[in-house]
Amino acid sequence: KRWGAQLLIGSFLLALSARAQAHDGPGGNLGVGLGVGAPTGLSLELSMGRSASLEGAVGFDVFNTGGYAHVVCKFSLTRLSYGPTVSVPVYLGAGMYVFDTSGSLDAPNLGVRVPLGVSFDFLRAPVQLFIEGALGVDLVREPPSDRTFWFCAYGGIRFWL
Protein backbone atom coordinates (compact mmCIF):
# COMPACT_ATOMS: atom_id res chain seq x y z
CA LYS A 1 0.00 0.00 0.00
CA ARG A 2 3.03 2.27 0.25
CA TRP A 3 3.60 2.18 -3.51
CA GLY A 4 1.77 5.48 -3.98
CA ALA A 5 4.21 7.44 -1.81
CA GLN A 6 7.17 5.62 -3.36
CA LEU A 7 5.90 6.48 -6.86
CA LEU A 8 5.58 10.17 -5.98
CA ILE A 9 9.07 10.32 -4.46
CA GLY A 10 10.66 8.26 -7.26
CA SER A 11 9.12 10.43 -10.00
CA PHE A 12 10.43 13.62 -8.45
CA LEU A 13 13.94 12.20 -7.90
CA LEU A 14 14.08 10.99 -11.51
CA ALA A 15 13.16 14.44 -12.74
CA LEU A 16 15.98 16.01 -10.72
CA SER A 17 18.44 14.30 -13.03
CA ALA A 18 16.92 15.90 -16.17
CA ARG A 19 18.79 18.64 -18.04
CA ALA A 20 16.87 21.87 -17.68
CA GLN A 21 16.96 25.54 -18.58
CA ALA A 22 16.30 28.34 -16.14
CA HIS A 23 12.82 29.73 -15.57
CA ASP A 24 12.11 33.38 -16.36
CA GLY A 25 14.40 35.38 -14.10
CA PRO A 26 17.68 34.85 -12.28
CA GLY A 27 18.62 31.78 -10.29
CA GLY A 28 19.00 28.14 -11.17
CA ASN A 29 16.57 25.42 -12.19
CA LEU A 30 15.39 24.37 -8.72
CA GLY A 31 12.82 26.41 -6.82
CA VAL A 32 12.53 25.77 -3.08
CA GLY A 33 9.88 27.39 -0.94
CA LEU A 34 6.77 27.20 1.16
CA GLY A 35 3.15 26.80 0.16
CA VAL A 36 -0.14 27.36 1.98
CA GLY A 37 -3.36 25.45 1.31
CA ALA A 38 -3.31 21.89 0.01
CA PRO A 39 -0.64 21.25 1.14
CA THR A 40 0.80 23.66 3.67
CA GLY A 41 4.49 22.84 3.76
CA LEU A 42 7.54 22.42 1.55
CA SER A 43 7.26 23.24 -2.17
CA LEU A 44 9.83 22.26 -4.81
CA GLU A 45 9.79 22.99 -8.53
CA LEU A 46 12.23 21.82 -11.18
CA SER A 47 12.30 23.80 -14.43
CA MET A 48 12.47 21.53 -17.48
CA GLY A 49 12.67 24.27 -20.11
CA ARG A 50 10.82 27.47 -20.83
CA SER A 51 7.35 25.92 -20.83
CA ALA A 52 7.46 22.82 -18.59
CA SER A 53 8.31 22.05 -14.99
CA LEU A 54 7.88 19.33 -12.39
CA GLU A 55 6.47 20.48 -9.09
CA GLY A 56 6.29 18.56 -5.83
CA ALA A 57 4.94 19.46 -2.43
CA VAL A 58 4.64 17.75 0.93
CA GLY A 59 2.95 18.88 4.12
CA PHE A 60 -0.51 18.82 5.62
CA ASP A 61 -3.86 19.69 4.08
CA VAL A 62 -5.44 22.57 5.99
CA PHE A 63 -8.82 21.89 4.37
CA ASN A 64 -9.14 18.19 5.28
CA THR A 65 -6.69 17.72 8.19
CA GLY A 66 -4.16 15.14 7.15
CA GLY A 67 -0.79 14.50 5.55
CA TYR A 68 -0.61 15.36 1.86
CA ALA A 69 1.93 15.17 -0.99
CA HIS A 70 1.73 15.65 -4.75
CA VAL A 71 3.87 15.58 -7.88
CA VAL A 72 2.60 17.48 -10.92
CA CYS A 73 3.97 18.17 -14.39
CA LYS A 74 3.06 21.75 -15.31
CA PHE A 75 2.93 23.36 -18.76
CA SER A 76 2.87 27.09 -19.44
CA LEU A 77 -0.18 28.02 -21.55
CA THR A 78 0.47 31.73 -22.10
CA ARG A 79 1.87 34.81 -20.43
CA LEU A 80 -0.52 37.37 -19.04
CA SER A 81 2.31 39.88 -18.85
CA TYR A 82 6.02 40.22 -19.50
CA GLY A 83 7.75 43.41 -18.46
CA PRO A 84 11.09 44.64 -17.18
CA THR A 85 10.48 43.36 -13.64
CA VAL A 86 8.05 40.43 -13.81
CA SER A 87 6.79 37.65 -16.05
CA VAL A 88 3.29 36.28 -15.36
CA PRO A 89 2.73 32.85 -16.96
CA VAL A 90 -0.51 30.88 -16.71
CA TYR A 91 -0.03 27.12 -16.35
CA LEU A 92 -2.00 23.89 -16.43
CA GLY A 93 -0.75 20.68 -14.91
CA ALA A 94 -1.52 17.03 -14.26
CA GLY A 95 -0.13 14.66 -11.69
CA MET A 96 -0.81 12.46 -8.70
CA TYR A 97 -1.37 13.02 -4.99
CA VAL A 98 -1.45 10.98 -1.80
CA PHE A 99 -3.54 12.06 1.20
CA ASP A 100 -3.63 10.30 4.57
CA THR A 101 -5.53 11.21 7.71
CA SER A 102 -4.16 8.32 9.80
CA GLY A 103 -0.55 9.55 9.81
CA SER A 104 0.82 6.07 9.03
CA LEU A 105 0.37 5.84 5.21
CA ASP A 106 -1.25 2.42 5.76
CA ALA A 107 -4.45 3.43 3.98
CA PRO A 108 -3.89 6.61 1.95
CA ASN A 109 -6.20 8.13 -0.59
CA LEU A 110 -4.55 8.31 -4.03
CA GLY A 111 -5.69 10.28 -7.01
CA VAL A 112 -5.17 12.66 -9.91
CA ARG A 113 -4.51 16.38 -9.37
CA VAL A 114 -5.07 18.97 -12.14
CA PRO A 115 -3.97 22.51 -11.20
CA LEU A 116 -4.60 25.74 -13.10
CA GLY A 117 -2.54 28.64 -11.81
CA VAL A 118 -0.54 31.81 -12.24
CA SER A 119 3.12 32.42 -11.37
CA PHE A 120 4.83 35.73 -10.82
CA ASP A 121 8.48 35.27 -11.86
CA PHE A 122 10.50 38.27 -10.76
CA LEU A 123 13.14 39.10 -13.36
CA ARG A 124 15.55 40.93 -11.05
CA ALA A 125 15.47 38.50 -8.12
CA PRO A 126 15.36 34.68 -7.94
CA VAL A 127 11.86 34.77 -6.42
CA GLN A 128 8.53 33.38 -7.62
CA LEU A 129 5.06 33.83 -6.16
CA PHE A 130 2.36 31.40 -7.24
CA ILE A 131 -1.35 30.76 -6.75
CA GLU A 132 -3.50 27.98 -8.17
CA GLY A 133 -6.77 26.14 -7.93
CA ALA A 134 -6.70 22.36 -8.38
CA LEU A 135 -9.29 19.73 -9.21
CA GLY A 136 -8.69 16.39 -7.55
CA VAL A 137 -10.16 13.02 -8.45
CA ASP A 138 -9.86 10.23 -5.89
CA LEU A 139 -8.86 6.94 -7.52
CA VAL A 140 -8.30 5.00 -4.29
CA ARG A 141 -10.44 6.06 -1.32
CA GLU A 142 -10.27 4.73 2.18
CA PRO A 143 -13.24 4.96 4.54
CA PRO A 144 -14.63 7.16 5.99
CA SER A 145 -13.94 9.32 2.90
CA ASP A 146 -16.97 9.61 0.63
CA ARG A 147 -15.60 12.22 -1.76
CA THR A 148 -14.73 11.49 -5.38
CA PHE A 149 -14.04 14.99 -6.72
CA TRP A 150 -12.66 17.92 -4.78
CA PHE A 151 -11.29 21.41 -5.35
CA CYS A 152 -8.53 23.14 -3.40
CA ALA A 153 -6.41 26.27 -3.42
CA TYR A 154 -2.62 26.46 -3.08
CA GLY A 155 -0.22 29.38 -3.14
CA GLY A 156 3.18 30.39 -1.91
CA ILE A 157 6.71 31.54 -2.58
CA ARG A 158 9.78 29.87 -4.08
CA PHE A 159 13.43 30.89 -4.25
CA TRP A 160 15.35 29.69 -7.32
CA LEU A 161 18.72 28.12 -6.58
Side-chain angles (χ1 to χ4, degrees):
K1 292 190 175 191
R2 295 177 187 250
W3 64 269
Q6 292 169 348
L7 178 65
L8 288 171
I9 292 167
S11 297
F12 193 75
L13 291 176
L14 179 63
L16 284 176
S17 66
R19 181 179 166 96
Q21 298 175 2
H23 68 100
D24 287 341
N29 297 321
L30 180 64
V32 178
L34 297 174
V36 176
T40 295
L42 179 65
S43 173
L44 300 171
E45 184 165 343
L46 179 67
S47 175
M48 298 187 307
R50 290 278 180 218
S51 63
S53 65
L54 189 67
E55 187 250 338
V58 63
F60 64 94
D61 184 342
V62 295
F63 303 108
N64 293 300
T65 313
Y68 179 96
H70 70 246
V71 174
V72 175
C73 188
K74 301 188 317 187
F75 299 95
S76 181
L77 299 176
T78 189
R79 281 194 180 111
L80 294 179
S81 176
Y82 188 89
T85 59
V86 69
S87 173
V88 185
V90 175
Y91 61 85
L92 179 66
M96 296 187 66
Y97 73 89
V98 58
F99 172 69
D100 185 43
T101 58
S102 72
S104 64
L105 285 178
D106 287 339
N109 290 2
L110 300 171
V112 175
R113 184 176 196 276
V114 180
L116 176 64
V118 176
S119 294
F120 299 87
D121 290 333
F122 293 95
L123 302 178
R124 296 183 181 163
V127 177
Q128 177 189 63
L129 300 177
F130 63 93
I131 188 163
E132 66 184 36
L135 172 66
V137 180
D138 288 342
L139 301 177
V140 175
R141 264 192 329 247
E142 295 297 326
S145 178
D146 59 352
R147 70 179 192 178
T148 300
F149 299 98
W150 51 269
F151 182 79
C152 69
Y154 179 53
I157 186 169
R158 289 188 198 99
F159 301 92
W160 290 88
L161 309 175

